[in-house]
Amino acid sequence: MDSEPLAPLGSQVASTVERVADALREKSWMLCTAESCTGGWLAKVCTDLPGSSDWFHGGFVSYSYPAKEQQLGVIHEDLVAHGAVSEEIASQMALGARRASGANIAVAMTGIAGPGGGLPSKPVGLVCFGWSVSGGRIVTASEQFPGDRAEVRLRTVLRALEGILEVRD
């Protein structure tokens, strides 16, 4: 994969991480991540920023159904009924991560990064997000991203960060 076309997107991710860090520090909040399709990429970009231990608690990489159930408390019957790539599961992942970590905010993402694995109802590039905020608020969203596996994953990381800024209040 040629990383040159992803450079501007990577730059945008880095600047958004800084904005997230400032916003979370301002509230004395900690962030936890629950990642599937990104495989820990969000946690990586968060910890690329020096001093991230001020606002980044840690994260879960829960790729398989059993990992989602064991690590995050996702309900097996819901996985079977909705599939892992669904807002229902993303919300459970986010809530489970926030509860397990004690963080003030958690973000979860589950999707189909490709190149295979897509279905007509759930195509490659579909990603579902969940944000869980202290006090019980959960926000979900779905996005359809273009590009190859790396681009879908990087766009997912960026959208997850942008969502943190949107729901933190």
Side-chain angles (χ1 to χ4, degrees):
M1 181 207 76
D2 182 10
S3 64
E4 194 65 34
L6 295 181
L9 198 53
S11 218
Q12 194 175 354
V13 165
S15 66
T16 306
V17 167
E18 290 180 12
R19 289 177 40 225
V20 165
D22 290 344
L24 295 179
R25 279 188 187 114
E26 184 179 298
K27 293 186 95 150
S28 297
W29 275 17
M30 296 298 285
L31 167 69
C32 185
T33 59
E35 303 182 63
S36 186
C37 61
T38 51
W41 202 339
L42 179 55
K44 183 241 184 271
V45 300
C46 287
T47 58
D48 281 347
L49 188 65
S52 57
S53 61
D54 291 347
W55 55 272
F56 183 72
H57 172 82
F60 298 88
V61 176
S62 54
Y63 208 72
S64 68
Y65 276 29
K68 286 173 179 62
E69 294 169 32
Q70 294 161 5
Q71 294 175 357
L72 302 170
V74 170
I75 299 166
H76 177 78
E77 292 76 16
D78 290 344
L79 279 164
V80 172
H82 302 287
V85 182
S86 63
E87 289 184 24
E88 290 84 354
I89 299 307
S91 68
Q92 288 184 38
M93 289 172 64
L95 180 60
R98 191 177 57 74
R99 284 180 173 164
S101 67
N104 307 93
I105 187 168
V107 59
M109 61 231 64
T110 180
I112 305 166
L119 301 167
S121 62
K122 293 184 181 185
V124 169
L126 176 65
V127 180
C128 299
F129 297 87
W131 294 270
S132 176
V133 183
S134 292
R137 187 164 146 230
I138 297 177
V139 177
T140 61
S142 295
E143 300 281 347
Q144 177 68 49
F145 296 118
D148 63 10
R149 184 175 182 82
E151 186 174 354
V152 167
R153 294 171 80 196
L154 191 54
R155 288 185 184 282
T156 299
V157 167
L158 179 59
R159 179 64 186 102
L161 290 164
E162 291 169 344
I164 292 165
L165 294 170
E166 293 165 11
V167 304
R168 75 183 188 277
D169 295 322

